[in-house]
Amino acid sequence: MTLSDPFSHLSELELVRLAAHNERAFEVLVKRHAPAVYRLAASTVGSGAADDIVQEVFMALHRSLKTFRGEAQLSTWLHRVTLNACAKLLSARQNLALEAAPELAAPHNPAQAGENADLRERLAAALQTLPREQREAVTLREISGLDYAEIAELTGAELGTVKSRINRGRAALREWLQRAGVKP
């Protein structure tokens, strides 16, 4: 987006309304939100499948532009669609292959690279042991950086329920990782 881009100053809702009929407006929406959708998908299903999830999410957005009412933020809607697409993929897979585990940025220290890969595999396996609601809440908090109120709005759960799911999920992850020999 350049400074002379006529869409750069528009609000999300204005862009959504224009994007239903304007390809450039839709491109701006994709550029604004694709990185966050990718991060959430990659943390949930792994980087290998994240690109497919991103494509599926934005195809769903394009189909829904004319009916989007703006009652929730677009980012909230995109998070929900992303989580649903990830859950669908995971249920089809049943077991997350270790090669598809979320990848961390390549470290500069080769010795640490092996440790990070091992930790990443263990964390991905641990996340898959959590019930779906806990896994979603923990992922939205720890990976996407959403606050508790945003998670409550996104999932449709009460704020206290979200806090409980995150606490129980964190405790279960800590216990699983300790049993797997990972030291804090």
Side-chain angles (χ1 to χ4, degrees):
M1 221 175 339
T2 64
L3 293 176
S4 61
D5 187 338
F7 298 105
S8 62
H9 69 283
L10 297 177
S11 71
E12 292 294 313
L13 191 53
E14 291 170 321
L15 267 175
V16 167
R17 290 187 175 131
L18 281 174
H21 306 287
N22 185 300
E23 186 177 322
R24 178 66 185 128
F26 183 72
E27 289 174 11
V28 171
L29 282 175
V30 171
K31 284 183 182 178
R32 282 187 186 177
H33 294 282
V37 169
Y38 180 85
R39 279 192 305 276
L40 180 57
S43 71
T44 306
V45 297
S47 60
D51 289 328
D52 292 337
I53 297 291
V54 170
Q55 183 175 358
E56 184 177 335
V57 167
F58 285 105
M59 286 173 37
L61 172 61
H62 195 270
R63 286 189 302 270
S64 301
L65 283 171
K66 291 179 183 175
T67 59
F68 186 78
R69 295 184 307 258
E71 293 171 359
Q73 291 183 358
L74 180 63
S75 59
T76 301
W77 185 89
L78 290 170
H79 271 92
R80 172 63 12 217
V81 173
T82 302
L83 287 174
N84 288 344
C86 290
K88 182 179 169 185
L89 178 66
L90 288 174
S91 68
R93 273 193 206 164
Q94 285 301 319
N95 295 318
L96 179 68
L98 292 181
E99 304 84 57
E103 293 182 18
L104 301 175
H108 299 290
N109 180 340
Q112 194 175 20
E115 291 174 17
N116 285 344
D118 181 56
L119 181 59
R120 183 178 61 245
E121 290 174 1
R122 290 177 187 211
L123 183 56
L127 276 169
Q128 293 310 307
T129 66
L130 296 178
R132 179 180 180 211
E133 293 84 11
Q134 288 179 17
R135 183 174 57 243
E136 282 183 0
V138 169
T139 301
L140 289 170
R141 177 74 183 135
E142 303 301 336
I143 306 296
S144 294
L146 299 181
D147 64 34
Y148 294 109
E150 290 171 316
I151 297 168
E153 179 184 344
L154 181 62
T155 61
E158 295 293 324
L159 185 60
T161 301
V162 168
K163 290 178 179 181
S164 176
R165 287 176 181 170
I166 291 171
N167 285 335
R168 285 193 313 257
R170 285 175 176 161
L173 286 173
R174 193 175 310 112
E175 182 181 323
W176 193 98
L177 290 168
Q178 286 174 345
R179 281 195 319 264
V182 177
K183 304 281 188 237

